[in-house]
Amino acid sequence: MSDYFIIEPCQTANGVEIKLRDKKIGLKKAEAAFASLGEVLGNSPVVLLAKVGAYSISVYGSGRMMVKGKKKPSEKAADALARKILAALEKEGAII
């Protein structure tokens, strides 16, 4: 699974960015995936806002997800969260 996503730190937002390689996210189906993981806070045709555990996540159709929390997740925590999110997105057919 990790062969199609990368995690990069985002200094300006004090978070991390999960980016899919050569894939996009269907936001309508992603809503169901994030509802199963936590709470969907809002959605629009451009962005889905969700809360999973201690993290707020902005999900974009381009395949990019910005993860922010009170403190920036460690590399290990970010990788575990990415795998959890991507498994839920795959289950709902939201990765296109």
Side-chain angles (χ1 to χ4, degrees), residues 1-31:
M1 182 184 302
S2 64
D3 59 328
Y4 72 88
F5 74 88
I6 56 173
I7 298 172
E8 295 180 344
C10 180
Q11 302 303 330
T12 57
N14 194 31
V16 295
E17 194 172 28
I18 302 167
K19 295 180 185 179
L20 300 182
R21 296 180 194 204
D22 303 320
K23 302 281 183 185
K24 296 190 182 293
I25 299 172
L27 295 180
K28 291 268 189 208
K29 291 182 179 180
E31 186 172 354

Side-chain angles (χ1 to χ4, degrees), residues 5-66:
F5 74 88
I6 56 173
I7 298 172
E8 295 180 344
C10 180
Q11 302 303 330
T12 57
N14 194 31
V16 295
E17 194 172 28
I18 302 167
K19 295 180 185 179
L20 300 182
R21 296 180 194 204
D22 303 320
K23 302 281 183 185
K24 296 190 182 293
I25 299 172
L27 295 180
K28 291 268 189 208
K29 291 182 179 180
E31 186 172 354
F34 279 94
S36 72
L37 294 172
E39 180 181 4
V40 174
L41 303 175
N43 62 2
S44 75
V46 178
V47 65
L48 172 73
L49 303 175
K51 182 141 179 97
V52 176
Y55 301 108
S56 297
I57 305 169
S58 301
V59 184
Y60 300 91
S62 65
R64 185 173 78 97
M65 293 174 271
M66 176 60 66

